[in-house]
């Protein structure tokens, strides 16, 4: 999976998890704000503008209700998840979490039925969204929100306020600064009358987050075309317009396969005398890739603010977990024994992950065997030891007095400057192993069956483990930095002793003096320093893993919960009881908080993971 797919897939998973936990739509501001911070694509257009056909073309499946008048009466939050080639396509609804739909005609029926359950068999609308996830090898990772079509008049069975109600609902999505607007307009109508463009212009006057889509190009009057729109002369957006050719009604009636429809669409643009020169930037497949690529760039730009919001949410949730209190039991001795047994069960599973009895520990070896060497190879020594930089550093080190034999100060400055680059990979190795250990703690807590009855104790163990791992990380960072600093503080003497001997072996010291400031002289210096740095690199490639394992992995195996045990031993009966029992209502609330906390921590770790992969 590419980094782009990882990023968009990560956002998809967070959005879905937010939805499952009730953090989307009408929830607490602290919780629903995470969903709002994540970018998504809202599909906006007038009734019968071709919105449904565009969505079905992107998905490659016939799954949306059709008909005359207002068909989309509730927002449809559609999450597309790209799966492995050859895997079966299926769909899942949030309100039917245990049911998979492989027949997409049943998906259409369920959308209709679920809409009717909320609005009745009328033409009423509802702002409560339907959540649908589609898993397919033929899609790109995207979150699309299909909104009711904008209209100008109420029809029979609708209140007079429906026109304003629909616009208000659509605005509630597209006014959000992280919402990407997919404005659908039919080509056989004047673009100046487009409902989608009118609304997008009001909420996004600079067109910074609006993508214009022109449908029904094949239905325009003969002798006319939409080049003025597609080429940005009629209405310019910051992003290029994309033309779409929907399936004809005859194709829909014949149930023409969407894959065939995509091929026909490609052929239409490739053979069109009007649009042939734009063929590679037209069509539903291009639109999906364009949106996915743009979404990835938006996500990258939003990562710092998303991470900040997640950290803030984690702090608020941990504060609430503490505020909810702990359960009360009777016998303090039994409580202490039970807590220690539960901790030992968790500790046993954690060690099994590290030692190979369970999966996960091998990822630490991957850091040393793959990530660290790769990071060392990417260090910018070529730039540091370029002829220009070597000349500059050596000359500056000489000052007013040119060096007589080997420029020792120049050598030292070049080497010390190069050695500083090793700090980055050293610290990154510490952080990567820290991430693996945190993930193994999370997995171990989840796999400890005995702990599932006590979410409070789970949180305590997770927090204690996290604090311990943070301490180990700090010690490890200090140690690996010391390794680098030791290389800087005392350079290998034999290396310097060899340099003047090379001049003597040349047999003509006078000539060497003459050539001292020539290009060849500086190249030899750069080559010598490079050899020394390579020697140090090989040394650190072996010593950094030893330090990391000693300071982090070994300590995690031996003393992960030692501080926690000390603290538990000091607690009184009431404090111990709070860890093992609680009111059912508090338990439910704590479980919800624990789930959110797990979501946010998982999201933070996944973002860190993707950032490392970059």
């Amino acid at each position: 999976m590419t980094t782009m797919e990882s990023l968009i897939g990560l956002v998809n998973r967070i959005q879905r998890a937010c939805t499952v936990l009730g953090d989307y739509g009408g929830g607490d501001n602290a919780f629903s704000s995470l969903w709002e911070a994540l970018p998504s694509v809202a599909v906006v257009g007038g009734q019968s503008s071709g919105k449904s056909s565009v969505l079905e073309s992107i998905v490659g499946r016939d799954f949306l209700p059709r008909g005359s008048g207002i068909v989309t009466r509730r927002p449809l939050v559609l999450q597309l998840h790209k799966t492995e080639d050859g895997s079966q396509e299926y769909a899942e609804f949030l309100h039917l979490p245990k049911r998979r739909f492989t027949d997409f005609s049943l998906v259409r029926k369920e959308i209709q039925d679920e809409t009717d359950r909320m609005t009745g068999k009328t033409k009423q609308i509802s702002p409560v969204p339907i959540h649908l996830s589609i898993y397919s090898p033929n899609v790109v990772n995207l979150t699309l929100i299909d909104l009711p079509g904008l209209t100008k008049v109420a029809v029979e069975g609708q209140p007079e306020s429906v026109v304003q109600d629909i616009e208000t609902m659509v605005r509630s999505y597209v006014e959000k600064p992280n919402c990407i607007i997919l404005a659908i307009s039919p080509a056989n109508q004047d673009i100046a009358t487009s409902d989608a463009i009118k609304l997008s212009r009001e909420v996004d006057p600079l067109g910074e987050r609006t993508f214009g889509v022109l449908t029904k190009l094949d239905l325009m009057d003969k002798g006319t075309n939409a080049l003025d729109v597609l080429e940005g002369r009629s209405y310019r957006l910051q992003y290029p317009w994309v033309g779409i050719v929907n399936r004809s009604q005859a194709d829909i009636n014949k149930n023409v396969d969407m894959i065939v429809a995509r091929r026909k669409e490609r052929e239409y643009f490739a053979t069109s005398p009007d649009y042939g020169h734009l063929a590679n930037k037209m069509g539903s497949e291009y639109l999906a890739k364009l949106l996915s690529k743009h979404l990835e760039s938006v996500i990258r730009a939003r990562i710092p603010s998303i991470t900040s919001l997640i950290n803030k949410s984690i702090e608020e949730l941990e504060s609430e977990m503490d505020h909810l209190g702990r359960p009360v039991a009777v016998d303090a001795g039994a409580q202490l024994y039970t807590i220690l047994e539960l901790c030992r069960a968790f500790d046993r599973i954690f060690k099994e992950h590290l030692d190979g009895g369970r999966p996960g520990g091998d990822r630490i070896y991957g850091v040393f065997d793959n990530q660290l060497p790769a990071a060392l190879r990417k260090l910018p020594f070529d730039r540091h030891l370029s002829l220009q930089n070597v000349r500059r550093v050596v000359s500056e080190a000489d000052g007013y007095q040119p060096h007589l034999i080997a420029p020792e100060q120049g050598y030292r400055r070049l080497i010390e400057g190069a050695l500083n680059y090793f700090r980055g990979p050293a610290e990154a190795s510490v952080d990567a192993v820290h991430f693996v250990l945190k993930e193994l703690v999370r997995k171990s807590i989840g796999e400890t069956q005995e702990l599932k009855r006590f979410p409070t104790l789970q949180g305590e163990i997770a927090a204690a483990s996290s604090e311990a791992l943070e301490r180990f990380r700090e010690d490890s960072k200090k140690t690996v930095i010391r390794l680098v600093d030791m290389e800087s503080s005392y350079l290998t003497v034999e290396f310097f002793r060899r340099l003047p001997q090379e001049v003597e072996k040349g047999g003509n010291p006078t000539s060497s003096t003459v050539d001292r400031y020539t290009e060849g002289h500086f190249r030899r210096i750069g080559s010598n320093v490079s050899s020394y740095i390579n020697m140090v690199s090989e040394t650190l490639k072996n010593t950094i893993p030893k330090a990391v394992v000693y300071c982090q992995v070994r300590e995690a195996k031996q003393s992960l919960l030692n501080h926690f045990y000390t603290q538990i031993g000091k607690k009184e009966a009431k404090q111990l009881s709070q860890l093992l029992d609680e009111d059912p209502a508090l338990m439910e609330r704590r479980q919800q908080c624990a789930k959110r906390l797990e979501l946010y921590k998982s999201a933070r770790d996944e973002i860190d993971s993707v950032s490392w992969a970059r």
Side-chain angles (χ1 to χ4, degrees):
M1 182 177 287
T2 65
T3 303
M4 180 179 78
E5 289 172 338
S6 297
L7 281 170
I8 300 175
L10 168 60
V11 168
N12 268 3
R13 290 193 298 276
I14 296 174
Q15 285 175 326
R16 183 165 178 79
C18 283
T19 305
V20 171
L21 294 175
D23 285 357
Y24 170 74
D28 248 298
N29 285 337
F31 298 141
S32 61
S33 56
L34 176 56
W35 172 282
E36 310 227 341
L38 300 172
S40 56
V41 182
V43 185
V44 181
Q47 288 182 17
S48 304
S49 61
K51 288 192 300 93
S52 296
S53 294
V54 171
L55 281 172
E56 289 182 334
S57 295
I58 290 175
V59 175
R61 280 287 188 172
D62 211 344
F63 70 99
L64 291 172
R66 292 183 176 277
S68 59
I70 182 167
V71 177
T72 305
R73 291 181 285 126
R74 289 175 61 183
L76 176 68
V77 179
L78 175 63
Q79 291 192 307
L80 305 181
H81 305 264
K82 185 172 180 61
T83 57
E84 297 292 331
D85 290 342
S87 59
Q88 185 182 31
E89 294 178 290
Y90 66 93
E92 288 182 343
F93 287 94
L94 183 65
H95 62 275
L96 297 172
K98 296 182 180 179
R99 183 178 175 187
R100 285 188 176 184
F101 291 78
T102 54
D103 183 345
F104 281 77
S105 64
L106 296 179
V107 174
R108 181 190 302 113
K109 183 178 184 302
E110 182 57 33
I111 293 173
Q112 187 64 59
D113 291 346
E114 179 61 18
T115 299
D116 291 344
R117 277 192 283 272
M118 182 64 66
T119 64
K121 293 184 179 295
T122 66
K123 295 188 180 295
Q124 301 286 337
I125 65 168
S126 169
V128 180
I130 298 172
H131 294 269
L132 172 64
S133 292
I134 293 179
Y135 299 81
S136 168
N138 302 318
V139 301
V140 295
N141 288 313
L142 272 179
T143 294
L144 299 160
I145 305 172
D146 185 22
L147 297 167
L150 297 164
T151 184
K152 293 181 173 62
V153 295
V155 299
E156 186 177 351
Q158 292 180 328
E160 288 299 322
S161 64
V162 71
V163 175
Q164 186 59 46
D165 292 343
I166 292 175
E167 182 173 335
T168 301
M169 183 196 305
V170 173
R171 282 181 180 275
S172 70
Y173 286 88
V174 300
E175 285 178 341
K176 295 170 184 172
N178 290 324
C179 178
I180 299 165
I181 304 169
L182 194 62
I184 311 293
S185 304
N188 55 356
Q189 295 179 15
D190 190 343
I191 196 67
T193 65
S194 168
D195 297 314
I197 291 299
K198 176 179 179 294
L199 183 61
S200 66
R201 180 185 292 177
E202 292 175 8
V203 300
D204 180 30
L206 299 179
E208 295 175 332
R209 49 191 182 89
T210 300
F211 284 80
V213 177
L214 211 56
T215 61
K216 305 185 180 183
L217 289 167
D218 53 331
L219 300 182
M220 295 184 71
D221 292 337
K222 287 186 178 181
T224 63
N225 61 52
L227 285 177
D228 282 347
V229 177
L230 292 175
E231 293 179 344
R233 290 188 290 275
S234 293
Y235 184 73
R236 180 173 294 277
L237 296 170
Q238 288 204 14
Y239 305 102
W241 282 80
V242 179
I244 299 290
V245 174
N246 302 330
R247 286 184 302 167
S248 66
Q249 191 59 48
D251 287 342
I252 294 172
N253 294 339
K254 294 176 184 176
N255 291 321
V256 171
D257 183 81
M258 291 300 302
I259 304 302
V260 174
R262 282 180 177 178
R263 187 179 70 246
K264 287 184 176 181
E265 183 184 46
R266 289 195 299 269
E267 291 171 355
Y268 173 85
F269 286 112
T271 59
S272 169
D274 293 323
Y275 310 119
H277 64 293
L278 298 174
N280 64 332
K281 294 184 178 180
M282 296 287 118
S284 54
E285 291 177 290
Y286 173 76
L287 175 62
K289 292 175 182 175
L290 180 68
L291 288 174
S292 185
K293 184 177 180 180
H294 178 71
L295 196 59
E296 186 255 352
S297 67
V298 172
I299 292 169
R300 284 191 186 280
R302 296 281 191 277
I303 279 180
S305 60
I306 292 172
T307 302
S308 175
L309 178 60
I310 288 173
N311 288 333
K312 180 182 177 184
S313 299
I314 289 173
E315 290 176 7
E316 291 173 353
L317 283 167
E318 288 178 335
S319 175
E320 183 174 3
M321 290 282 283
D322 292 336
H323 177 71
L324 289 173
R326 301 293 182 260
V328 179
V330 180
D331 186 346
Q335 293 166 0
L336 180 59
Y337 177 80
T338 301
I339 291 171
L340 293 177
E341 284 296 302
L342 291 169
C343 290
R344 290 189 190 103
F346 154 75
D347 195 46
R348 183 172 60 252
I349 291 175
F350 178 68
K351 288 177 179 176
E352 288 175 1
H353 277 292
L354 287 176
D355 293 333
R358 295 171 185 255
D362 56 307
R363 291 169 58 195
I364 295 175
Y365 175 72
V367 172
F368 303 143
D369 195 48
N370 299 315
Q371 296 179 13
L372 175 59
L376 292 175
R377 286 194 296 270
K378 291 179 181 177
L379 292 177
F381 293 133
D382 288 346
R383 185 173 71 246
H384 182 70
L385 297 177
S386 67
L387 182 64
Q388 181 181 3
N389 195 56
V390 170
R391 180 184 285 113
R392 180 185 64 79
V393 172
V394 171
S395 299
E396 288 177 357
D398 281 346
Y400 76 92
Q401 177 67 56
H403 57 271
L404 299 178
I405 304 178
E408 178 176 335
Q409 290 303 317
Y411 271 106
R412 287 186 178 275
R413 290 191 186 183
L414 284 169
I415 291 171
E416 289 169 0
L419 291 178
N420 281 331
Y421 287 116
F422 287 115
R423 288 171 170 260
E427 291 184 326
S429 297
V430 172
D431 290 336
V433 171
H434 177 75
F435 167 73
V436 174
L437 292 173
K438 281 181 66 177
E439 181 65 15
L440 293 182
V441 166
R442 187 187 66 80
K443 283 186 176 180
S444 299
I445 290 176
E447 293 170 6
T448 307
Q449 295 298 322
E450 303 92 327
L451 273 175
K452 291 188 175 180
R453 290 174 51 206
F454 309 109
T456 302
L457 186 56
Q458 288 186 47
E460 289 290 317
I461 291 176
S465 300
S466 180
E467 289 175 9
L469 291 177
E470 286 291 343
R471 290 197 302 273
F472 302 155
R473 173 162 69 170
E474 289 306 311
D475 289 344
S476 187
K477 279 194 176 181
K478 290 176 183 176
T479 301
V480 297
I481 293 302
R482 282 196 190 102
L483 290 176
V484 175
D485 290 346
M486 283 191 287
E487 294 290 346
S488 300
S489 63
Y490 187 76
L491 305 183
T492 304
V493 178
E494 286 73 13
F495 176 78
F496 279 96
R497 288 175 177 169
R498 178 165 53 86
L499 299 181
Q501 293 173 9
E502 289 180 354
V503 175
E504 293 168 7
K505 288 176 183 177
N508 192 352
T510 305
S511 175
S512 297
T513 303
V514 173
D515 295 339
R516 189 164 301 137
Y517 288 97
T518 64
E519 181 175 313
H521 177 63
F522 289 115
R523 289 193 185 280
R524 283 194 298 275
I525 293 174
S527 176
N528 290 333
V529 173
S530 178
S531 298
Y532 186 84
I533 294 304
N534 288 337
M535 177 186 71
V536 173
S537 180
E538 287 300 313
T539 300
L540 292 176
K541 189 163 68 175
N542 294 321
T543 55
I544 287 174
K546 294 177 187 294
V548 171
V549 169
Y550 183 84
C551 295
Q552 288 174 271
V553 181
R554 174 179 169 275
E555 286 298 312
K557 284 178 65 176
Q558 294 183 353
S559 59
L560 182 65
L561 294 179
N562 280 8
H563 181 70
F564 181 63
Y565 293 148
T566 302
Q567 296 301 110
I568 287 291
K570 297 176 182 178
K571 292 185 182 294
E572 297 180 356
K574 185 176 180 179
Q575 293 174 304
L576 294 174
S577 67
Q578 290 174 336
L579 295 172
L580 296 175
D581 195 14
E582 54 196 341
D583 179 77
L586 290 177
M587 180 179 288
E588 177 64 25
R589 181 60 179 164
R590 180 175 286 107
Q591 286 173 341
Q592 288 297 315
C593 289
K595 288 178 182 177
R596 290 186 172 98
L597 191 56
E598 184 178 350
L599 159 67
Y600 294 139
K601 286 187 174 180
S602 175
R604 182 178 62 186
D605 289 344
E606 285 204 61
I607 290 173
D608 288 344
S609 158
V610 172
S611 298
W612 169 267
R614 288 160 51 195

